């Protein structure tokens, strides 16, 4: 009688079981570095199970060696020289979480030059020097991974590069700075002005003592630069982004937006058009019922519009030690899986192979077309009709003209919502309206982003 061959009951031993651990050197052991070490130690079995090999921290560079020793213990070597880590012969991958753009560039390029993979959460470094860094990585056949640099706990880079790889991306829009989102939430919920909300954010540790990168929109622009490159296959164009922060935003506009059925969020928007790419960060009105308008506190969210998948949205923590560590270690797992793979078979640094990158122009802000909000201080409530008539004569496409609700210490204000209009035309109308006898002060304008198409 036919019988199947007797199979051994011993489990087959995977060749990967013999792969040596991925050896990590880390530069920086501050908030993110400490979180990375803790999570790597706490979840080492699960991480190894996913990576197919263990991941071991072998050396850390720190300014304060005594503090670092208290975090990593006796089994990890310490040095105060980051270049020692970057060039160490027993390191396979360098994790750079020290921040900054000057010395960090040198450390990362040194690591790449010595054939080491790099994982970084440093969005400023990549936005400013990414073109040079990625070119060096291609030359030396190593990976540079940076999920933690964009939206902390949200795996948006992986979503753009892999999950949405079949799609032509039309636009990406996100709340990608937790500090400013916290401030705007406080201004709306508690009626605080910008200064008071910022002070509260600083007291709670959400904002630095010098918050300029956050409140001026620079941090969000760094992240948007990376999102746009991965969405559209374009070079990193941080210097061409139009950036407006929330530091000049007034509480009255937060309240007036609410009256009109909107909430103000600091948005990073990258949109592909026939003429080029819009690359902009600005406070904008979002419909109050929209999911993006209900992202509060220090949380982040990114929405993507693509041709096949349609609208998708990604939500999660926008700050935090272990939240960022989650992304850093996910990158380490990806690096651990590269054993034996040729560089040409890996996921490209910016989602597209180098030969397929597009040299898309970045559009000037003056040519961007969106609906707008205008607040016009006037001399009396009756002037609302005068403003409406003037706008009709100017043929500015207007959706709504109303009188703002009365507020203590605030004179009469006329609120205007326009249909889509190019920024240059809107700015001209605002300047002309300021010069009109009906105006009692400067006209405030903000974009409206409906995020639905």
């Amino acid at each position: 009688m036919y019988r199947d061959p007797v199979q051994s009951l011993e489990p087959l031993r995977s060749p990967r079981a013999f792969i040596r651990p991925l050896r990590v050197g880390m530069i920086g052991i501050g908030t993110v570095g400490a979180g990375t070490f803790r999570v790597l130690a706490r979840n080492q079995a699960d991480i190894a199970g996913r990576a197919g090999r263990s991941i071991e921290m072998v050396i850390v560079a720190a300014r304060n060696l005594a503090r670092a020793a208290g975090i990593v213990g006796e089994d990890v070597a310490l040095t105060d020289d980051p270049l020692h880590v970057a060039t160490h012969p027993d390191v396979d991958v360098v994790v750079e979480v020290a921040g900054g753009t000057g010395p960090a560039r040198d450390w990362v390029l040194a690591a790449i030059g010595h054939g080491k993979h790099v994982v970084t959460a440093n969005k400023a470094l990549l936005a400013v020097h990414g073109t040079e860094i990625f070119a060096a990585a291609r030359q030396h056949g190593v990976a540079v991974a940076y999920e933690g640099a964009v939206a902390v706990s949200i795996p948006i880079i992986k979503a753009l590069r892999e999950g949405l790889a079949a799609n032509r991306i039309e636009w990406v829009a996100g709340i990608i700075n937790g500090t400013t989102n916290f401030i705007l939430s406080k201004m709306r919920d508690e009626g605080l002005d910008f200064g008071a909300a910022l002070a509260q954010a600083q007291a709670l540790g959400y904002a630095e003592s010098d918050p300029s990168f956050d409140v001026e929109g620079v941090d969000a622009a760094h992240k948007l630069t990376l999102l746009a490159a991965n969405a559209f296959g374009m070079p990193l164009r941080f210097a061409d982004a139009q950036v407006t922060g929330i530091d000049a935003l007034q509480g009255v506009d937060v309240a007036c937006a609410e009256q009109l059925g909107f909430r103000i969020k600091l948005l990073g928007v990258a949109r592909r058009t026939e003429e080029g790419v819009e690359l902009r960060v600005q406070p904008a009105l979002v419909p109050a019922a929209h999911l993006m308008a209900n992202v509060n506190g220090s949380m982040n969210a990114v929405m993507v519009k693509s041709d096949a998948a349609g609208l998708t949205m990604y939500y999660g923590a926008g700050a935090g030690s272990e939240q960022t560590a989650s992304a850093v270690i996910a990158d380490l797992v990806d690096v651990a899986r590269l054993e034996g793979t040729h560089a040409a078979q890996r996921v490209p640094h910016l989602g597209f192979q180098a030969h397929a990158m597009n040299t898309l122009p970045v559009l000037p802000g003056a040519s961007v077309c969106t609906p707008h909000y205008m607040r016009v201080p006037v001399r009396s409530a009756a002037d609302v009709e005068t403003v409406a008539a003037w706008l009709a004569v100017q043929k500015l496409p207007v959706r709504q003209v109303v009188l703002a609700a009365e507020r203590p210490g605030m004179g009469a204000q006329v609120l205007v919502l326009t249909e889509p209009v190019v920024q240059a035309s809107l700015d001209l109308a605002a300047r002309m309206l300021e010069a009109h006898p009906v105006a009692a002060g400067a006209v405030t304008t903000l974009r409206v982003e409906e995020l639905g198409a």
Side-chain angles (χ1 to χ4, degrees), residues 45-68:
D46 287 338
I47 293 166
R50 291 185 169 107
R53 61 199 291 199
S54 62
I55 299 175
E56 297 180 0
M57 192 76 67
V58 297
I59 186 169
V60 170
R63 289 195 187 98
N64 187 330
L65 296 180
R67 176 185 176 277

Side-chain angles (χ1 to χ4, degrees), residues 127-185:
V128 176
H129 298 297
T131 299
E132 178 187 18
I133 288 169
F134 294 138
R138 285 193 299 272
Q139 179 184 348
H140 291 276
V142 298
V144 176
Y146 52 91
E147 188 70 72
V150 178
V152 185
S153 66
I154 306 172
I156 186 61
I157 296 300
K158 187 174 284 289
L160 289 171
R161 293 195 311 199
E162 300 175 47
L164 296 174
N167 290 258
R168 177 180 172 84
I169 306 296
E170 298 176 23
W171 54 259
V172 180
I175 296 169
I176 45 181
N177 182 272
T179 299
T180 51
N181 202 46
F182 176 86
I183 291 170
L184 291 172
S185 296

